Amino acid sequence: MHNAGLSKFNFVPGKRYRLRIINTSALLSFTFSIDEHAMNVIKVEGMMTKRHTIHRLIINVAQRYSVIVTADKLVSNFWMRADLQIKCYYAIGIEHLNPYVKAIVHYEGANYLDPTTKRWADNLNRFNNCIDLNTSDFKPFFPENVSAKADQTIYLNASIEKDASNVYRAVVNGSTYAVDIDNPTINQILFKNQTLFQPNQNVIGQFNTSQVIDIVVYNGVSGEHPFHLHGHTFWVLGSGPVDTKADFSKLNIFDPIKRDTTTIPPLGWILIRFEANNPGIWAFHCHIELHVEAGLVARVIELPHELRKLKPPDSYVLNHPILIMI
Ligand SMILES: [Cu+2]
């Protein structure tokens, strides 16, 4: 809200606080920090991690972190900061946004004046490059057994280009995803046993048995894409900036974390691995809302024979009368 006061978080001196942080933005990543207070990351999306101490948290759209902060400073007030990473996304007018979003950490017993604290002064390089925190700095709390190699590798190019009407659309391997509400993929699988789908349904893989899948995504534009996979968490085995290629000899294979949303750097790439063992049709998409609407969505179909065993409720069939006639 424009003229609303700043949010205040009251800390009791000496206590430890768990902050659960989610980026619910539609467009932009943030760099989150509290002046003079280090944060111990203990959870990345669904996965508990070994403690990893940081000063700043880069958090992209749809990502979630849990951090522990200790109120161990002299009784005072401190700025909590969420800096918008405006250079990571191009949009007309974005320069008019105030990128310095603030709140106040108020220690019990302190006065009610605004804080006078300064932001962390350490090197900002990584924080200006539109990339995630270094994934290999995080280790799962419980050891992970990563599948040694993939049964199949899928290559994707995520880009934005003009269509025949000169309108910018987002594309996966040249194809804009279009929702087909009259003939949803689930119905085609459940009631027609279909295995061939229209190109604009962006089905990038169909797996009839449990398999280990690698997906390499190249980003064709100079903005970042926070990619999110439904139905799974995945190991982030690698990523790289502009002018680099996925290198299978340098994967982060030793005890990597699993998460469900990861940033593809501007003109860079990511390599993720997951086990396709969950019956369903799962979206793999950019979590920037505008890019989803523009079609930056791919889907995988897993274990359709298992899916067919899960009978839809009668109400679903009754509400889709066309199904009764098939
Ligand atoms: Cu995107």
Side-chain angles (χ1 to χ4, degrees), residues 89 160 224-227 286-288 291-292 296:
Y89 187 85
I160 293 174
E224 63 185 4
H225 296 296
F227 254 70
C286 179
H287 222 290
I288 291 174
H291 291 178
V292 178
L296 203 50

Side-chain angles (χ1 to χ4, degrees), residues 279-313:
I281 305 161
W282 304 114
F284 181 50
H285 67 94
C286 179
H287 222 290
I288 291 174
E289 298 300 324
L290 197 61
H291 291 178
V292 178
E293 193 287 328
L296 203 50
V297 179
R299 277 110 50 80
V300 291
I301 296 169
E302 296 174 28
L303 312 183
H305 55 285
E306 296 290 336
L307 196 54
R308 282 184 205 105
K309 287 183 200 161
L310 307 170
K311 291 259 178 283

